[in-house]
Amino acid sequence: MSVLKNFATGIGRVLKSPALILWVYSAGVLLALPLAHYLRGVLHGSFGASLVNENMRAGFDLSWYGEFSAGITGLGATFGPWVTGILPVLSNLQMLLDGQALRNSGSILLAGGTLLLLWTFFAGGILDRYANPDAPRARARFFFHCGEYFFPFLRLLVISLALYWAVFRWVANPLHGWVERATRDVTAERTVLLCTFAVYALTALLLALSAMVLDYARIAIVVEYRRSALFAFLRGVRFVLGNPLITSGLFLLLVLVGFVLLMGYAAVAPGPGQTTWGAVLAAFLVGQAFILARIVLKLWFLAAQTALFQAAQPVTFEAPTGAASSGSAQPERSPV
């Protein structure tokens, strides 16, 4: 098993199935359109064709925003100076590391929950495609496996949310509180920053480890034809702990790709102040290209980790009775 080999195999499998990228992207667009339409109505009702409209076209009207943010809740509260360029990405990352992702308004949680369910549904078909790269690329086969693995993946989603809650309930939040108490009388700002950074680093490490285990749990469900989400989760734990160097090496290499992508977007991402239709279109296209790149990276994670998991299999699994109806060779269930 080689990190670089599975890294290259992963992107090869992703590029071999470009339709999957479009499926995921289209699902995200369909989810975003009604939210964007609602937010447009909120903003139009706030400043319409007033002078604020002209100020917003030229940049950002902070005076108007002060009044707007004081009286808005729900989805409208997500609008602010941070919605352009790299700032939305950094804002979401901070929200994740602060444990605020589950404390949003109802509309945001509904949209986020819907997106998670869409990913959960598509994941079965995606992982089957990457686990069987030479199988026929029939749409019926893809959606068959989407439905086949949806409920085991849904149970894994519940486990993932429980892990996210546990990390902040018992690790991150207590440590943040301890840092605040311990540095209350510290005058050196550097000490406070280092302690806070250490807590964020530990939080990110635990979340990354959880994500890695859950990815391999989903892969185990598909590759080893498991039905128990709990046993699949334990299989993911065992696989990561049994292969710590190669699993973490592959994960870190893909994270590095994501970091390079983020830095590249930060360098070219347009900010507010697009005053012509051409500039607005260019800003839109740059943003959509970044979203597509993020989707490719997410699929790259799944494809590369699937290749690694399959390479580590000590035996060849045979299709169980009934699996042939889907047109795929699925493995028998294996013990944890």
Side-chain angles (χ1 to χ4, degrees):
M1 295 185 294
S2 166
V3 169
L4 292 178
K5 180 180 179 181
N6 290 289
F7 178 79
T9 300
I11 189 59
R13 292 184 182 183
V14 171
L15 297 179
K16 194 175 181 180
S17 301
L20 295 183
I21 302 172
L22 296 179
W23 273 110
V24 175
Y25 175 77
S26 299
V29 169
L30 290 176
L31 177 62
L33 283 177
L35 301 178
H37 179 73
Y38 172 80
L39 187 57
R40 176 187 178 277
V42 170
L43 296 177
H44 187 269
S46 177
F47 55 74
S50 65
L51 180 61
V52 175
N53 190 359
E54 298 300 321
N55 294 338
M56 295 291 284
R57 286 170 59 89
F60 199 89
D61 193 324
L62 291 177
S63 298
W64 163 83
Y65 178 70
E67 298 178 4
F68 174 78
S69 60
I72 194 68
T73 58
L75 185 62
T78 63
F79 181 80
W82 56 82
V83 298
T84 59
I86 194 65
L87 293 180
V89 182
L90 299 180
S91 177
N92 290 337
L93 181 60
Q94 181 183 6
M95 184 183 299
L96 177 68
L97 294 179
D98 282 338
Q100 301 298 317
L102 300 179
R103 298 181 182 178
N104 278 296
S105 64
S107 56
I108 301 300
L109 289 177
L110 178 61
T114 303
L115 183 61
L116 282 176
L117 288 176
L118 284 173
W119 264 107
T120 302
F121 176 73
F122 283 132
I126 290 171
L127 286 175
D128 172 73
R129 180 71 58 84
Y130 293 153
N132 303 281
D134 297 323
R137 283 166 171 71
R139 191 176 303 170
R141 174 194 172 104
F142 174 77
F143 283 105
F144 173 85
H145 289 295
C146 287
E148 181 183 18
Y149 298 118
F150 175 71
F151 288 104
F153 284 2
L154 186 61
R155 293 190 288 271
L156 277 178
L157 176 60
V158 174
I159 293 176
S160 69
L161 293 176
L163 285 175
Y164 179 79
W165 176 84
V167 165
F168 289 96
R169 175 64 177 82
W170 288 310
V171 180
N173 289 342
L175 284 177
H176 277 299
W178 177 82
V179 168
E180 183 178 356
R181 292 189 300 271
T183 59
R184 186 169 299 164
D185 299 323
V186 174
T187 57
E189 185 177 351
R190 180 180 179 183
T191 302
V192 180
L193 291 176
L194 287 176
C195 292
T196 304
F197 176 79
V199 175
Y200 277 128
L202 177 60
T203 303
L205 178 63
L206 292 175
L207 292 178
L209 181 61
S210 300
M212 187 162 49
V213 167
L214 288 162
D215 279 346
Y216 285 112
R218 295 183 186 95
I219 292 166
I221 287 177
V222 174
V223 173
E224 297 177 349
Y225 201 65
R226 294 173 179 268
R227 282 297 176 266
S228 170
L230 179 59
F231 284 170
F233 174 74
L234 295 176
R235 178 70 171 104
V237 171
R238 192 179 70 171
F239 184 78
V240 171
L241 295 181
N243 305 275
L245 294 180
I246 193 167
T247 53
S248 59
L250 180 61
F251 190 88
L252 289 175
L253 188 56
L254 289 164
V255 168
L256 179 61
V257 173
F259 179 77
V260 172
L261 172 64
L262 186 63
M263 292 300 99
Y265 180 63
V268 301
Q274 314 303 320
T275 57
T276 65
W277 281 110
V280 171
L281 179 61
F284 173 78
L285 292 178
V286 169
Q288 296 308 299
F290 177 66
I291 292 174
L292 280 170
R294 288 174 58 186
I295 292 173
V296 170
L297 180 61
K298 174 60 178 175
L299 297 178
W300 195 350
F301 266 93
L302 295 177
Q305 289 172 322
T306 299
L308 173 60
F309 189 86
Q310 289 178 309
Q313 295 299 306
V315 296
T316 301
F317 294 91
E318 297 179 357
T321 303
S325 62
S326 67
S328 63
Q330 297 286 358
E332 292 181 342
R333 300 182 186 183
S334 60
V336 175

